Each structure stands twice: as C-alpha cells, then as structure tokens.
C-alpha cells in the first residue's frame, strides 16, 4: 500500500469514528486555515520574518556535473573508429542507465551526470554512416569506396580510416563528394533535426539537462582551434539554422559573426568553448587574428563576448601550463603532459617549441589577456575553466576505474595501452619521430557548474558568468570567492557560500578599485569526492602585470592536509603529502590528506596599480591511474615509462582584479 493509499484509509476510518472530524462541521477546520492564511504579515516581527535562513535565497547552492564535449556515431571520426552508439544511447548512459558499448562491453556510470552536451562535428554530420552503408553518391569516389570497405572490416582497418579522416579534414584534402552541398546538405540537415528532437526527448528540467550543442572543428594545418558551440535554446530555435562549420571557414571571427546572426534571427543565445589549447602549436592565444593582423579592440570585445570559457583538461591532455613556462610550479608537468607536448593535433606541422608555449597554454593565455587589456582596453582572453571529455564512443566514462577510452578501439582490452594513436610526419630535420600511444590519454574530465537549477537556461547562464570549474574526472566540491573583507572567522560559518556572496564575488567575477589600505582576500573551500582520494592541498595561482607591463605568475599553498605534521620548508615549499597507492592491487588508503580544506587568504604581494587574476587549484592525494587498473584486471605488465599513479585535481574559474582607471 502506498503512503497516499494508507492516508486515505486512515481518513476513512476516522470518518466512521468521528463524523464531526470527517466533515459534519467542516467550518472548524476552514476557520483555522483562514486564520493562518489571513495573518497580517505587518504584525510579524523582523526576527520572525527572517527566521528561515533559506527563504529568499537566490544564489546557487548546488553544483551540477556534466560534459560539454561529447561525440556519438554522428561524428565522422567517431563512426569511422567504430562508434555505433547514438545520441539517445549517450543520454541514457549519462542519466545512469547501463548500455552496451560499441565493442560489446557492458558500461555504467558510478553516479549519473546532471547534464550532457552532445557536440558532434558539424563537418560531415552523419555522413560517414552513409559512406559505410555504400551510398552511391559517395562510394563512386575511390577513396570513399576504400573507406567504406575498411569501416565494414572493422578493427585496425577502421582505426586507420579514422586517422585518415582527421588528417584530411586538417589538410583540406577530403574527397570531393563528401563536401558537395547538393549531396550532403539534405542528409546533414535531417541528422541535425533528428538530434535536436532526441535532445528534447531526454531533456527533463530539474532532473537531467540535454543541452543542444555542436563542435566547429577548425584545425588549420593540424593546429587545434576547435570550439564547442552551446545553445541556451531548445529545438524550436536551434532548427531555424544549420550549424556553421569549418568547411565554410576556419576563421573564429567568421564563427562569431554566424553566432551573432543566429541570435538576431532567433532571439536565442550562444556561447563557444575553445578546447585543446595544448595542441594548437601557439595559435590558441596568438596575438594576431586568423589572417595575421595585430589584434584590435573590436576583436578583443567580440572574443570576450563569445568565448567566456576554455577547456582546461580532457582526454587529450592538460592545457593549464607547461614546466618550461611555470618552472616553480611542481604540479605543472605531472598530469597530462607526456605525449601531448610533441606537437599539434595531427603531429603534422612541426614539434611544439618553447617559443610557441606562451600562446598555447591557458595560464599563459590569461597572462597574455592582461597584457592585451593594458594595450587595447579590453581583455580578449578573459575566460573561465571547464573540464570535459572529447570522447568519440558515446560514453562519458572517465573515472580511472571505469575508463572506456576516447575512441571505440581504445575501449577496455589487454592491449589498448600500447595502441599507436599518431606518429609524427614532420621532416627529420625538425627532430625525431614522435609516437602518441593510448596510454598517453587521460581519463578526464568534468565540467562543474554552480547553477540555481538543473535547466538549460540556468546552466547556460552560470557558464556565461563563468561560475564554473573543471576537474580531471573527480567530483571535488569547490567554492572560491574574492573580496576585501573576508576574515578567518568566516570559515566557522557552516554556510560558507552565504558569506562568500555577501562579502564578495564568486569564481568568474571581478574586483576593481581597491579600497584604500585594503588587499584582496579570498575565501576558498573544497570537499573531497566520496569515491576518490582525500585532499592534498588548495593552492591559489596568481598572474599579474608588473610595473613594467610584464606578466608574472606565482603559486601559493593556502591550505593543506595533515597540517599538524606538514610544514613549509625554508624554501617555502610544502612537503609532498605521501603516497599510499599499491600499484600491484590498484588500491590506496585515505590515511593521508584531509576530506575537506578551507582557507581565507590575503595576497601578500598585492599592488593596487597592477592588473591581476587569481584561481584556485585543488590537488588530491595520489591514487591509481587507469593504466594501473588495467594492469590488475588484465594481468598484464606495461612498459616502465607508463605512469601508474597520479593526483587528480580541480581548477576554479579565475577572479580578476582591475585597478581604477
């Protein structure tokens, strides 16, 4: 019997036993209700009126977890690689259902996601499925006919097609029929409309958000300039257009112009999230536009409007910074660097050089933004952070013990770790050949959004204001606020966010015009993911322009686990937290670190005349990497250079300080 049925039965019994209560004299109950309903609120004391600490609360109190970068079989490279799962399968999996992967492996998340953006490539949307099926319009071309046979054969032959497709897209050598608008236009439009219909079907405001999006895949010469375009809108507006693709232009400014035209036509709203700065060979934050002209104020304003976020980590590496840029940051090169510092996306143009790095990595990009703001009056690189996956197998399965890889051929198997992903094709004069293997890939990452509700509109609005952060795949809860008056006593309040919003701005916000005699103070708090390791430390990363206009950086340890035994040394460095990982069993213990950390930190080096940004970075204790789990489960032994342990982390979006001008 349900609770409602039980209550009806109880009322029925009372009706027999007590006619008055059941309704013989109902005015008694009505009069009581009326008295309560008609109470004069002006007679309520201020203390009583403000009794509930939750009434009238408008700031976000829940973080929502999701993926803003996800590919299905509608993406040509994913399908060529063997992905046979649809957007519907992706949504089902993200919502917590068990599905069967394209390689026949049962898969399920440890915990459902709150939202998902299926961002299939606009270029050739759904077309590789037609090539595979032998559509005469395509297989009349010898290259496409060969691809069709190889995809049907599967295995390494299909993987080879995927590599060819990516390279052909980058080098502008795709076979003619697949770019003929008369042939492909109706196919792609139909696939887009079917996708938006599926998003509507699985979008349940308050429970799960299916946010409409796609990827604009600009990759000139193999240099990654991809953007994921996210709609605040539903199918009614999204179907009024067809996504702008890199086949039309690889210039980001042309994408922004299309986004503006979409908003004017439909009344909708868009934003774009660039990703993989680490594979751009210096082009992500270059100080010229796409045509090579110096940046202008107009360019800076448009980029700052449309690109409010950047992807800091995903399966293809960590884009935060590089050891050669951040020599005093001991965590600069420990996660997601190996294999990804060899060169660009396709390993075709030239190897990554030291000269390219300041306009490749995100921390350096933020620093270039401060310099450009001083020069142009507007910061073109003023972005927050998200993590996401870039999976091409329809499965956002990126926890270390549940990692299904990026491509179907990288799904669980005893040999996946040594699979060759890319081999450099540059001239020997530029250096030795480099090989990317599957073991270089990361189980990463997630986008964490502080929103007022789990809806398209609320999530998009939070992204627009940059109240978001990225993680390497863990679900650390992170709050970061900046202001002028936070005090140590604020940490004693059980609702840190209430104090944070009352006294300052959240991550993604701005501080300016420092009050006389004051320095910025930051309130930061983090809590571990229950399924992951304890926390090692919280750091605040600062970038600023010195009095000569040169960008500088520094990393501060502001809170750490095991504080009773760990003290900074004479050099100011905090000793390592330790390591409890047993690689032989792929296990660890939470006997080091702390489950939660918090601090109020004052910038000891603040100069009110200097532009600056600050972001929080939370580091976990060492835990097993996906490669360690594979070794144990498959009973194999990998090469010594393959890492088995890593420290998961989270990065808040920055808070910027601008002096009074």
């Amino acid at each position: 019997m349900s609770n409602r049925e039980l209550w009806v039965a109880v009322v029925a019994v009372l009706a027999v036993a007590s006619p008055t209560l059941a309704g013989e004299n109902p005015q008694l109950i009505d009069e009581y209700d009326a008295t309560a309903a008609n109470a004069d609120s002006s007679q309520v004391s201020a203390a009583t009126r403000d009794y509930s600490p939750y009434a009238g609360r408008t700031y976000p109190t829940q973080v929502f977890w999701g993926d803003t970068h996800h590919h299905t079989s509608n993406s040509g490279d994913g399908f060529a690689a063997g992905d046979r799962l649809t957007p519907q399968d992706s949504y089902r999996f993200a919502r917590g259902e068990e599905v069967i992967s394209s390689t026949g492996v049962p898969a399920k998340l440890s915990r459902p996601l709150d939202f998902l953006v299926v961002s299939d490539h606009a270029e050739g949307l759904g077309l590789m499925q037609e090539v595979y099926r032998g559509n005469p319009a395509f297989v009349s071309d010898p290259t496409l006919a060969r691809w069709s046979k190889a995809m049907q054969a599967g295995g390494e032959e299909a993987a080879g097609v995927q590599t060819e497709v990516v390279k052909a897209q980058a080098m502008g050598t795709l076979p003619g029929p697949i770019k003929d608008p008369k042939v492909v236009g109706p196919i792609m439009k139909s696939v887009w409309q079917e996708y938006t219909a599926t998003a509507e079907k699985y979008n349940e405001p308050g429970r799960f958000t299916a946010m409409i999006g796609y990827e604009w895949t600009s990759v000139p010469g193999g240099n990654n300039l991809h953007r994921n375009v996210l709609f605040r809108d539903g199918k009614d507006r999204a179907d009024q257009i067809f996504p702008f693709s890199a086949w039309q232009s690889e210039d980001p400014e042309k994408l922004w112009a299309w986004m503006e035209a979409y908003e004017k036509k439909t009344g909708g709203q868009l934003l774009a999230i660039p990703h993989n700065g680490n594979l751009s060979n210096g082009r992500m934050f270059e100080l010229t536009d796409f045509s090579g002209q110096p940046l202008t104020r107009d360019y800076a304003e448009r980029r700052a409007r449309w690109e409010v976020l950047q992807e800091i980590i995903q399966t293809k590496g960590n884009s935060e910074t590089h050891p050669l840029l951040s020599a005093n940051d001991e965590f600069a090169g420990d996660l997601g660097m190996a294999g990804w510092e060899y060169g660009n996306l396709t390993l075709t143009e030239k190897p990554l050089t030291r000269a390219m790095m300041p306009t490749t990595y995100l921390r350096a990009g933020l620093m270039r933004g401060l310099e450009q703001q001083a020069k142009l009056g507007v910061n073109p690189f003023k972005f927050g952070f998200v993590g996401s996956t870039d999976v091409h197998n329809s499965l956002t399965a990126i926890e270390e013990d549940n990692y299904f890889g990026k491509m179907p051929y990288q799904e669980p198997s005893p040999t996946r770790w040594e699979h060759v992903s890319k081999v450099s094709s540059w001239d020997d004069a530029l250096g030795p050949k480099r090989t990317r293997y599957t073991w270089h890939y990361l189980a990463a990452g997630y986008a964490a959004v502080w929103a007022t509700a789990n809806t398209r509109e609320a999530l998009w609005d939070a992204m627009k204001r940059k109240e978001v952060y990225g993680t390497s795949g863990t679900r650390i809860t992170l709050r970061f606020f900046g202001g002028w008056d936070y005090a140590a006593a604020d940490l004693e309040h059980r609702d840190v966010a209430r104090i944070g919003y009352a006294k300052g701005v959240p991550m993604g916000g701005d501080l300016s015009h420092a009050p006389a005699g004051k320095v910025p103070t930051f309130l930061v708090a983090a809590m571990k993911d229950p399924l992951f390791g304890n926390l090692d430390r919280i750091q605040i990363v600062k970038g600023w322009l010195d009095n000569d206009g040169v960008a500088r950086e520094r990393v501060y340890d502001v809170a750490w686990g095991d504080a009773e035994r760990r003290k900074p040394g004479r050099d100011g460095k905090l000793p390592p937290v330790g390591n409890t990982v047993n690689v032989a069993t792929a296990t660890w213990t939470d006997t080091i670190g702390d489950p939660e950390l918090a601090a109020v930190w004052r910038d000891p080096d603040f100069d009110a005349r200097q532009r600056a940004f600050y972001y929080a970075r939370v580091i976990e204790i060492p835990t097993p990497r996906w490669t360690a789990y594979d070794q144990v489960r498959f009973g194999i032994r990998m090469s010594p250079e393959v890492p088995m342990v890593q420290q998961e982390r989270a990065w808040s979006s920055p808070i910027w300080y601008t002096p009074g001008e």
Side-chain angles (χ1 to χ4, degrees):
M1 181 179 291
S2 69
N3 288 339
R4 184 179 184 279
E5 291 169 332
L6 179 61
W7 180 242
V8 170
V10 169
V11 171
V13 170
L14 289 175
V16 174
S18 177
T20 301
L21 181 60
E24 188 176 279
N25 192 12
Q27 69 270 23
L28 294 177
I29 296 178
D30 292 344
E31 288 174 4
Y32 179 84
D33 289 345
T35 301
N38 295 327
D40 186 352
S41 61
S42 65
Q43 303 301 312
V44 179
S45 70
T48 302
R49 187 163 46 249
D50 296 337
Y51 179 80
S52 174
Y54 313 114
R57 186 169 62 182
T58 58
Y59 58 81
T61 60
Q62 184 176 348
V63 61
F64 296 100
W65 295 96
D67 185 4
T68 60
H69 189 179
H70 179 101
H71 297 269
T72 74
S73 57
N74 283 338
S75 286
D77 52 352
F79 187 88
D83 187 7
R84 298 298 180 264
L85 301 186
T86 65
Q88 178 170 308
D89 297 315
S90 293
Y91 292 132
R92 289 178 50 235
F93 182 75
R95 287 160 54 113
E97 294 183 43
E98 183 174 310
V99 302
I100 303 299
S101 80
S102 295
T103 58
V105 182
K108 187 176 182 178
L109 288 171
S110 66
R111 295 156 288 182
L113 295 180
D114 298 304
F115 68 92
L116 179 67
V117 184
V118 170
S119 57
D120 282 309
H121 300 289
E123 300 75 18
L125 185 69
L127 296 185
M128 290 306 288
Q129 299 182 37
E130 294 298 310
V131 174
Y132 174 83
R133 294 178 186 125
N135 186 320
F138 297 126
V139 297
S140 58
D141 178 272
T143 299
L144 294 176
R146 178 171 56 81
W147 286 358
S148 179
K149 291 179 181 178
M151 287 190 291
Q152 291 174 23
E156 288 300 313
E157 290 188 59
V161 172
Q162 183 267 328
T163 300
E164 279 192 61
V165 169
V166 173
K167 186 175 180 179
Q169 166 71 20
M171 308 311 291
T173 58
L174 285 166
I178 210 164
K179 293 184 70 173
D180 183 343
K182 294 179 181 178
V183 174
V184 304
I187 297 172
M188 293 196 295
K189 183 176 181 180
S190 174
V191 173
W192 173 254
Q193 292 179 344
E194 182 180 355
Y195 156 62
T196 57
T198 304
E200 293 299 293
K201 176 181 176 181
Y202 283 92
N203 187 58
E204 292 188 53
R207 180 191 172 198
F208 178 84
T209 294
M211 186 178 288
I212 294 173
Y214 78 92
E215 181 177 313
W216 174 77
T217 316
S218 173
V219 58
N223 298 320
N224 190 96
L225 296 179
H226 303 182
R227 268 79 167 166
N228 290 320
V229 179
L230 274 58
F231 292 68
R232 190 178 187 269
D233 316 307
K235 180 178 176 64
D236 56 337
R237 287 183 169 134
D239 279 358
Q240 294 180 39
I241 51 83
F242 183 77
F244 184 81
S245 82
W247 287 357
Q248 295 163 273
S249 176
E250 293 187 310
D251 184 348
E253 290 188 79
K254 297 295 193 296
L255 173 66
W256 305 337
W258 176 86
M259 293 169 70
E260 183 173 20
Y262 166 85
E263 291 195 348
K264 288 180 178 178
K265 176 180 180 178
T266 69
Q269 291 181 274
L270 299 172
L271 59 83
I273 305 178
H275 58 274
N276 278 134
N278 64 323
L279 300 182
S280 69
N281 265 15
R283 297 211 61 182
M284 185 58 73
F285 306 111
E286 58 190 344
L287 304 182
T288 58
D289 63 18
F290 195 75
S291 64
Q293 298 301 307
L295 301 187
T296 64
R297 183 184 179 97
D298 176 66
Y299 175 98
E301 288 175 341
R302 285 181 291 127
R303 182 157 181 167
R305 173 186 175 185
W306 299 112
E307 299 186 359
V308 295
L309 301 175
Q310 289 265 166
E311 195 173 271
I312 196 167
I313 196 169
Q314 57 138 279
T315 57
K316 298 198 300 292
N318 179 352
S319 292
E320 182 190 11
T321 189
H322 189 280
L324 293 180
L325 294 173
S326 306
N328 295 320
D329 182 354
E330 67 259 54
F331 294 101
D334 72 316
L335 176 68
M337 202 61 57
W340 304 108
E341 58 182 347
Y342 294 165
N344 63 11
L345 177 65
T346 55
L347 288 181
T348 50
E349 188 182 63
K350 51 189 158 183
L352 180 70
T353 66
R354 173 65 178 81
M356 298 174 185
M357 291 180 184
T359 52
T360 292
Y361 291 94
L362 270 60
R363 186 187 300 175
L366 290 169
M367 295 163 72
R368 303 291 78 75
L370 296 180
E371 294 168 346
Q372 289 298 300
Q373 184 177 9
K375 180 180 179 180
L376 303 173
V378 177
N379 185 343
F381 309 134
K382 190 175 181 182
F383 50 80
F385 300 147
V386 292
S388 280
T389 69
D390 195 14
V391 293
H392 282 60
N393 61 1
S394 305
L395 303 174
T396 296
I398 46 83
E399 290 177 327
E400 303 298 328
D401 65 347
N402 193 37
Y403 180 49
F404 271 69
K406 174 185 168 67
M407 294 285 182
Y409 55 74
Q410 294 170 322
E411 290 185 6
S413 79
T415 58
R416 66 167 169 170
W417 68 276
E418 57 187 344
H419 180 270
V420 174
S421 170
K422 298 276 191 309
V423 178
S424 63
S425 58
W426 55 67
D427 180 302
D428 286 339
L430 296 175
K433 296 292 184 183
R434 302 291 183 88
T435 302
R436 284 190 185 129
Y437 298 94
T438 290
W439 70 259
H440 287 130
Y441 285 76
L442 299 182
Y446 279 140
V449 182
W450 286 106
T452 54
N454 188 5
T455 64
R456 286 171 175 162
E457 297 78 12
L459 291 171
W460 193 96
D461 290 346
M463 293 180 192
K464 182 70 173 178
R465 65 177 183 266
K466 309 182 187 81
E467 199 167 352
V468 298
Y469 61 98
T471 84
S472 58
T474 177
R475 300 195 191 188
I476 294 171
T477 303
L478 171 61
R479 286 286 201 179
F480 182 54
F481 298 93
W484 306 103
D485 298 306
Y486 295 118
D490 293 334
L491 297 177
E492 299 171 7
H493 199 287
R494 71 184 182 91
D495 188 353
V496 170
R498 184 178 181 185
I499 299 294
Y501 287 105
K503 289 187 175 184
V505 298
M507 60 181 78
D510 289 277
L511 299 173
S512 61
H513 301 81
K518 299 225 174 184
V519 303
T521 59
F522 296 90
L523 177 62
V524 58
M527 184 167 58
K528 67 165 287 182
D529 180 334
L531 300 186
F532 279 62
N534 275 341
L535 306 182
D536 170 2
R537 68 188 74 191
I538 298 177
Q539 300 176 310
I540 290 181
V541 178
K542 177 186 178 183
W544 74 97
L545 287 188
D546 66 18
N547 292 331
D548 295 323
V550 177
R552 308 287 186 185
E553 66 171 84
R554 185 170 177 182
V555 180
Y556 302 84
D557 292 312
V558 302
W560 52 88
D562 304 322
E564 66 285 353
R565 67 169 178 82
R566 296 172 73 200
K567 308 294 181 185
R570 292 183 179 179
D571 60 356
K573 292 290 185 180
L574 189 65
V577 68
N579 185 357
T580 67
V581 175
N582 183 334
V583 173
T585 58
T587 57
W588 84 98
T589 62
D590 266 341
T591 52
I592 57 175
D594 282 12
E596 56 185 10
L597 296 170
V600 168
W601 178 77
R602 295 165 52 87
D603 181 359
D605 304 307
F606 179 67
D607 185 326
R609 300 167 296 174
Q610 298 173 344
R611 304 176 191 277
F613 64 81
Y614 305 81
Y615 65 86
R617 183 172 67 184
V618 184
I619 311 287
E620 287 186 4
I621 67 171
T623 49
R625 193 174 185 265
W626 70 265
T627 45
Y629 287 106
D630 270 21
Q631 273 201 159
V632 173
R633 288 171 175 170
F634 295 119
I636 59 176
R637 180 66 58 188
M638 300 182 190
S639 301
E641 73 268 24
V642 179
M644 295 290 146
V645 178
Q646 66 185 24
Q647 290 185 258
E648 304 276 359
R649 62 203 60 182
W651 301 262
S652 79
S653 288
I655 293 172
W656 287 265
Y657 168 73
T658 304
E661 296 175 334

